[in-house]
Amino acid sequence: MFKLHDELIAELSNLLTAQKYNSVVVANHRLYARAFLDYLAECDMQVETVTPVQVDQYLAYATQDFEAQYGRPPSARWHVLPRTSINKLLRLAQGKWPPATEIIEPETAYRQAICCEYEEWLRDERGLACATIAALMWEARNFLRWQFERGGAASLDKLSIVEIDLYMDLRAPGLRRKSLADVAERLRSVVRHLHRTGRIPTDLTPHIIGPMLYAYEGVPSTLDKSQIAAVLATTKKDGSPRGLRDFAILQLLATYGLRAGEICRLRLEDVNWRRESLRIRHTKNDAYSYMPLLAPVGEALLDYLRQGRPLVESREIFVRSCAPYIAMTNLYGMISGRLAAAGVEPPGKRGPHVFRHARAVEMLRASVPQKIIGDVLGHRSTESTNAYLKLATEDLRAVALDVPALEVLS
């Protein structure tokens, strides 16, 4: 057993080293993994048969041991690193970790079958984007779980608008009107599928009504030129690998107004250095467009690729700045952090879209035709571009007419 444990520790160390983890982090993972294996040996348990319950039992034991050794309880997040080390170790030992939950109750199996069928219909029949399917599936799972817990699988036959209202009341707290309208739209899709497949006898979709929304009622957050310049200047001062990466991302956002997903999916082969062009895959319609590779963007990309990007096999340009070095999937935290560092506080949201909005306003003020603005932003229709017209509020004020004064009759 001890030889097998030594082999697992060596395999874990090699894996973390190959993933470019810092040597100190590798040593910590080895330490926590070894302590867990020693515990298994004392309890005469095989690592190949360990269950999540037994891992929880070990962490409780380790917490008590920590308190006995140091005379105080560990911090609330102390267990994160040991659990991470154990998860990596068990993934090597068992092949898959955590193990798949066994379906015991027939109602659970029935609910999962409905979800699988619904997901297949959204993907194959409706051809929706992955992000849209993920949002619809989350609502479907949540609603079906809630309904089954209340009345079981048989309750679908008796589903009424009363249950729909109760579910909407459950989802409403803390949501804005737009978010609640999205919940109603997703719920209509789920209920429509249940009725279409004969699981609900009555079509309840006309009765699922969200809050009334008015076209262009809200003004999105945006940045002016001075704020964008401040963010770029502050970020450029950070010469670390993370700073080089973030500066290149901010240049792409400010120059082209790309979506976060389009930047995360940008690959090495999408940059044509000879022709000085950039290929963009739009996340919402999977179409491609080509942009000129402007000098500031090209220089920022080169600096990051040469001095900041880790040596990894991933083809995505932008990867995490710490191990494991995998492609980035979210930019919101990075953008909000860079805005705060530059002292820029836009009203409302502070994610990547504020740069997209700013780019749209800049083109509007330059009298760029609406169709071209939509093409640059990757919109399918002009209706999507219309939402940006309300951002040019100062321009609208310049052409506003004075309200005529009322004449007072003597």
Side-chain angles (χ1 to χ4, degrees):
M1 177 184 294
F2 291 102
K3 182 179 179 181
L4 176 60
H5 287 180
D6 290 339
E7 293 175 357
L8 278 174
I9 293 294
E11 191 175 352
L12 175 64
S13 179
N14 293 336
L15 174 65
L16 296 175
T17 303
Q19 292 178 345
K20 310 295 183 180
Y21 277 84
N22 183 280
S23 58
V24 176
V25 177
V26 174
N28 288 335
H29 277 294
R30 289 171 56 94
L31 179 66
Y32 287 119
R34 172 63 70 184
F36 176 66
L37 290 175
D38 291 344
Y39 170 83
L40 295 182
E42 291 179 6
C43 298
D44 196 23
M45 289 189 291
Q46 299 294 324
V47 67
E48 293 83 4
T49 60
V50 169
T51 65
V53 174
Q54 292 170 331
V55 172
D56 292 338
Q57 291 173 349
Y58 165 73
L59 290 174
Y61 161 80
T63 301
Q64 295 175 356
D65 184 66
F66 182 99
E67 188 170 359
Q69 184 175 357
Y70 296 100
R72 61 175 178 83
S75 64
R77 291 182 54 82
W78 172 83
H79 67 280
V80 173
L81 183 56
R83 186 180 290 275
T84 302
S85 305
I86 293 169
N87 288 344
K88 292 180 181 297
L89 180 77
L90 292 176
R91 201 169 291 123
L92 291 174
Q94 299 187 10
K96 182 179 180 181
W97 183 268
T101 304
E102 295 183 3
I103 300 175
I104 301 175
E105 299 179 359
E107 289 188 350
T108 303
Y110 180 52
R111 189 176 73 238
Q112 291 194 358
I114 294 175
C115 290
C116 291
E117 179 188 293
Y118 179 51
E119 184 175 11
E120 183 178 352
W121 178 69
L122 293 173
R123 183 181 60 252
D124 299 339
E125 297 295 329
R126 296 194 60 191
L128 299 180
C130 294
T132 305
I133 293 176
L136 288 165
M137 288 305 304
W138 188 95
E139 203 68 57
R141 294 188 184 100
N142 196 57
F143 171 70
L144 289 172
R145 185 185 304 110
W146 175 81
Q147 183 62 26
F148 277 40
E149 288 176 355
R150 294 180 71 252
S155 64
L156 287 180
D157 294 335
K158 303 175 183 178
L159 188 69
S160 67
I161 195 61
V162 175
E163 283 79 14
I164 296 296
D165 288 342
L166 288 174
Y167 178 76
M168 291 297 294
D169 290 342
L170 176 70
R171 294 281 281 119
L175 294 182
R176 297 176 302 161
R177 291 169 57 249
K178 176 63 171 65
S179 299
L180 192 57
D182 291 340
V183 171
E185 182 181 353
R186 294 193 292 264
L187 186 58
R188 275 194 298 271
S189 176
V190 177
V191 172
R192 185 181 298 112
H193 174 75
L194 293 173
H195 174 65
R196 187 182 61 84
T197 55
R199 295 184 174 95
I200 296 179
T202 307
D203 185 9
L204 301 174
T205 53
H207 305 288
I208 305 176
I209 302 173
M212 181 67 70
L213 299 177
Y214 301 95
Y216 320 129
E217 63 177 84
V219 177
S221 301
T222 187
L223 303 172
D224 58 36
K225 287 186 177 181
S226 62
Q227 290 175 317
I228 293 176
V231 176
L232 290 174
T234 302
T235 308
K236 191 173 184 179
K237 294 177 182 178
D238 184 357
S240 67
R242 178 178 294 182
L244 295 173
R245 182 201 66 188
D246 294 352
F247 182 70
I249 291 174
L250 290 170
Q251 281 284 10
L252 285 166
L253 287 169
T255 304
Y256 304 110
L258 300 179
R259 300 182 180 97
E262 293 164 351
I263 291 180
C264 292
R265 295 167 68 181
L266 197 64
R267 298 171 65 87
L268 295 171
E269 55 266 27
D270 291 330
V271 184
N272 192 321
W273 299 101
R274 293 184 181 276
R275 296 185 179 181
E276 296 183 346
S277 66
L278 195 64
R279 183 176 64 178
I280 306 299
R281 181 179 178 181
H282 298 290
T283 51
K284 289 196 173 181
N285 53 20
D286 283 337
Y288 287 94
S289 64
Y290 292 84
M291 304 286 186
L293 182 61
L294 302 182
V297 177
E299 291 172 2
L301 284 173
L302 275 176
D303 288 341
Y304 169 61
L305 292 174
R306 288 172 174 172
Q307 305 174 41
R309 187 175 185 270
L311 298 176
V312 293
E313 297 181 357
S314 173
R315 299 299 297 173
E316 284 78 14
I317 292 179
F318 299 107
V319 298
R320 285 162 44 97
S321 58
C322 56
Y325 297 110
I326 57 177
M328 298 182 69
T329 58
N330 189 295
L331 303 181
Y332 192 93
M334 183 275 285
I335 298 297
S336 61
R338 293 298 179 180
L339 289 173
V344 176
E345 298 182 1
K349 295 183 178 180
R350 304 180 183 185
H353 249 57
V354 295
F355 290 88
R356 184 173 175 83
H357 297 157
R359 182 61 179 141
V361 171
E362 184 179 357
M363 288 188 286
L364 283 170
R365 290 174 176 167
S367 300
V368 177
Q370 187 175 346
K371 177 63 170 65
I372 296 179
I373 295 176
D375 291 341
V376 172
L377 298 178
H379 289 157
R380 284 182 175 179
S381 66
T382 56
E383 286 298 318
S384 300
T385 312
N386 284 342
Y388 295 94
L389 295 176
K390 59 188 174 182
L391 290 166
T393 53
E394 296 302 322
D395 306 71
L396 294 176
R397 290 192 183 100
V399 298
L401 299 176
D402 294 331
V403 178
L406 295 175
E407 296 183 1
V408 180
L409 298 177
S410 56

